[in-house]
Amino acid sequence: MPLVATLGLERVEAWRLGDEAWADLRRRWRSEGLVMSCGQPGGPVELENGTRFFRHFSKCDAHEGGVESPEHLSTKALVAEVAAECGWTAQVEAPSADRSWIADVLLTKPGRKPVAVEVQWASQTPETFAARAKRYRADGVHCVWLVGPKNHGRGDWNIDGDAAALLMETPAEFGGPTSMAPMRGALHALLSGAIRGGVEVLVDAVDVTTAMSKCHNPQCEAWFSYWFIEAVEVRSRCAHTRQVDFAREYPLWVRDRVETVFQSDVRAAFARSGLPSATEYRMTHSKQTNTDYMAQRCPRCFWHLGDGFIAGKPRRWETYTVSVPATALPWQPELTNLHHVCHDVGNGFCKVEPQQRGGAFPARVDADGDPLPALPALRIRQRVVKPPLPQGRQTAHTRSVR
Ligand SMILES: [Zn+2]
Ligand SMILES: [Zn+2]
Ligand SMILES: [Zn+2]
Ligand SMILES: [Zn+2]
C-alpha cells in the first residue's frame, strides 16, 4: 500500500493531496496510468478514516517489512509532515538509484547527511534490522528506526498506538524519565534537533562522607578525618542539575579514584571547617597483590591507612556537600550517551566529544584490578544537597552515632 506514485509524468504523494487534487487524480488515473514507487501499476484507495494510499493489482515483493498497515501509512505521512515543518526536505518511499532500498521517508537538508526514517510495525528479526541498516550505511545514509511493539528495543525509538492516535517514545530533560507521548510532538523534538544524544556535564559540588579517627601510628596519634566521595553534583550545559551516585561500594585496588581530582578543594574545605584535617589520597604499591592503587594516609605523619576497608567499617559516618570549581570529568561513555531534550540557556547545546582512552568515572574494577562496566543509568539521581561541613571545633565526643 504505497503512498507515492507517478501519475503520467507527475509525482504524487497520496497523503499530501487535498480533496480537490485527490478527486482530480481519481478522474485521471485510468487514462494516464498510475505507477507506484515500487514500479508496479496501482490504483487510488481511500479508507473510511480518510487515509489515502495506492494499492497493488498483483503481488509485489519490493516492500520490506510486510504488508503496510494503516499505522504504517499514517506514521510515514506524519514523519514527512513534521520533518517538513522542521526544515527538512522529506520524500516518502524514496528509492535508491539502484532500487536496492526504498526508504519509508528520506530526509535531506543542505550540509547534512541524508536520514532514512524507517517505520517498522511488523515484526522483523535483529538480523534483518542489521542487514537493512548496513545497506543504508553503504550509501552514506543515516538510518533511524521507529519500531512498533513487536520490535520494541530493536530500533532507535519505540512507537505505539494506532493510526488515529500514534505514540512515540520521547526522552525528558537530562535525568528525567523517557515517556510515550503523542507522536507529532515527539517527532518534532527529534527532527528539530532538540534531542541530543549526549549530555555534557560539569561537577560543581561533591558529597563527602567522612568520619573522624585517630592515627594508628603510636608516635603520631593525631585526629584526622577519613573521607570519600559518595556522589558528585553535576550541572549539564543545558542547566539541569543532577547527582551522579558513586555508591558506598568503595571498590578495592582502584587507581582512578575521583577523590584525587577534588582532593585539594576538599582538603582545603576540611581545613576551614571544625573537623580534623582530611586524609590524603596517594598512589600506593601493594606488595601482597603487586598492584598500584589509591590509598589514604595520615595527613600529619603520612602513615598508610588503606582503602576500601576504611569505608566498610562501622564508624560515625556523616555526609556533607562541598562546593568545587566547575570541573569536567572523563565519564564512562554509558553515563553521557543519554538522549535528552537539550535547551540552549545561553551556553549552546550539549556536545560530548568521543572519550579518549584511559580512566573514566565511575571507575570499577574486579578483584584482579580489571575494569568492570559501570552502572550509569542507575546512578543518575535527583540532586539532594547535604549540609556544608560543620564549623566550630568538633571532637569525637560532640558527635552523635548514626
Ligand atoms: Zn509494490
Ligand atoms: Zn516501513
Ligand atoms: Zn599520623
Ligand atoms: Zn543538554
Side-chain angles (χ1 to χ4, degrees):
M1 308 201 299
L3 285 173
V4 179
T6 310
L7 177 66
L9 293 172
E10 187 191 339
R11 183 184 152 89
V12 285
E13 299 194 9
W15 64 277
R16 225 193 261 271
L17 294 178
D19 292 344
E20 218 164 282
W22 182 251
D24 180 52
L25 180 142
R26 297 191 81 132
R27 279 193 296 274
R28 291 163 56 200
W29 72 274
R30 280 175 212 276
S31 56
E32 294 183 32
L34 190 87
V35 179
M36 298 184 296
S37 54
C38 56
Q40 297 277 327
V45 182
E46 182 167 1
L47 297 182
E48 244 172 64
N49 70 2
T51 307
R52 291 164 181 169
F53 58 93
F54 304 112
R55 73 178 172 90
H56 291 91
F57 297 121
S58 53
K59 195 174 172 295
C60 174
D61 297 324
H63 308 275
E64 284 173 289
V67 181
E68 278 192 280
S69 58
E71 288 78 31
H72 192 261
L73 291 165
S74 30
T75 306
K76 287 197 295 192
L78 188 60
V79 169
E81 194 181 322
V82 176
E85 287 167 17
C86 295
W88 296 89
T89 301
Q91 198 188 342
V92 176
E93 289 157 25
S96 64
D98 62 358
R99 284 191 189 260
S100 65
W101 48 259
I102 300 177
D104 278 338
V105 189
L106 187 67
L107 308 181
T108 51
K109 206 182 226 183
R112 296 283 289 270
K113 199 170 170 174
V115 180
V117 180
E118 277 298 327
V119 181
Q120 194 62 40
W121 290 91
S123 173
Q124 179 173 275
T125 64
E127 294 71 30
T128 309
F129 271 107
R132 292 178 66 187
K134 194 174 159 197
R135 281 206 306 254
Y136 283 115
R137 255 199 318 279
D139 284 352
V141 175
H142 178 66
C143 179
V144 174
W145 292 99
L146 309 185
V147 293
K150 289 173 186 160
N151 299 299
H152 274 187
R154 290 184 187 165
D156 297 292
W157 300 99
N158 294 334
I159 58 175
D160 214 330
D162 56 44
L166 293 166
L167 298 172
M168 180 171 152
E169 186 186 13
T170 192
E173 289 154 341
F174 167 48
T178 296
S179 59
M180 277 288 177
M183 191 181 283
R184 169 173 282 279
L187 280 172
H188 204 278
L190 181 68
L191 298 173
S192 66
I195 295 173
R196 297 271 153 163
V199 56
E200 187 181 356
V201 294
L202 294 177
V203 176
D204 59 15
V206 295
D207 285 3
V208 172
T209 297
T210 182
M212 53 176 98
S213 185
K214 226 174 185 178
C215 185
H216 314 331
N217 176 1
Q219 257 77 65
C220 175
E221 292 191 334
W223 281 97
F224 57 71
S225 298
Y226 281 126
W227 66 284
F228 60 93
I229 290 177
E230 193 167 309
V232 299
E233 308 293 339
V234 296
R235 179 180 296 272
S236 68
R237 188 176 280 276
C238 42
H240 289 284
T241 53
R242 285 287 183 274
Q243 182 180 93
V244 180
D245 188 8
F246 276 65
R248 283 186 101 156
E249 60 197 22
Y250 205 130
L252 305 180
W253 316 125
V254 167
R255 279 173 228 210
D256 299 313
R257 284 210 58 94
V258 74
E259 287 81 2
T260 59
V261 178
F262 298 105
Q263 81 166 325
S264 60
D265 292 306
V266 170
R267 297 187 69 214
F270 271 88
R272 289 191 302 269
S273 80
L275 294 175
S277 307
T279 56
E280 187 190 4
Y281 276 81
R282 229 186 134 78
M283 196 69 96
T284 308
H285 185 78
S286 162
K287 282 200 198 109
Q288 190 197 336
T289 60
N290 193 29
T291 43
D292 291 322
Y293 68 104
M294 198 54 70
Q296 297 185 49
R297 66 180 192 177
C298 172
R300 188 165 172 226
C301 72
F302 306 138
W303 189 268
H304 171 77
L305 301 166
D307 69 348
F309 303 111
I310 294 169
K313 252 190 162 179
R315 298 176 197 273
R316 293 168 182 180
W317 293 109
E318 300 282 353
T319 304
Y320 305 101
T321 296
V322 175
S323 302
V324 295
T327 306
L329 280 185
W331 292 107
Q332 298 277 7
E334 304 97 307
L335 195 133
T336 49
N337 285 350
L338 292 176
H339 282 104
H340 69 294
V341 175
C342 198
H343 306 283
D344 182 357
V345 292
N347 310 314
F349 293 97
C350 287
K351 191 166 185 288
V352 178
E353 303 297 338
Q355 193 76 59
Q356 309 99 318
R357 291 184 61 83
F361 296 105
R364 300 176 73 229
V365 292
D366 63 17
D368 302 322
D370 296 321
L372 285 174
L375 307 163
L378 307 172
R379 291 175 182 264
I380 298 174
R381 308 257 160 90
Q382 206 73 14
R383 182 185 274 220
V384 183
V385 178
K386 318 295 180 306
L389 290 173
Q391 299 302 309
R393 208 179 123 67
Q394 309 276 311
T395 70
H397 307 290
T398 61
R399 313 187 64 213
S400 59
V401 178
R402 225 184 8 189

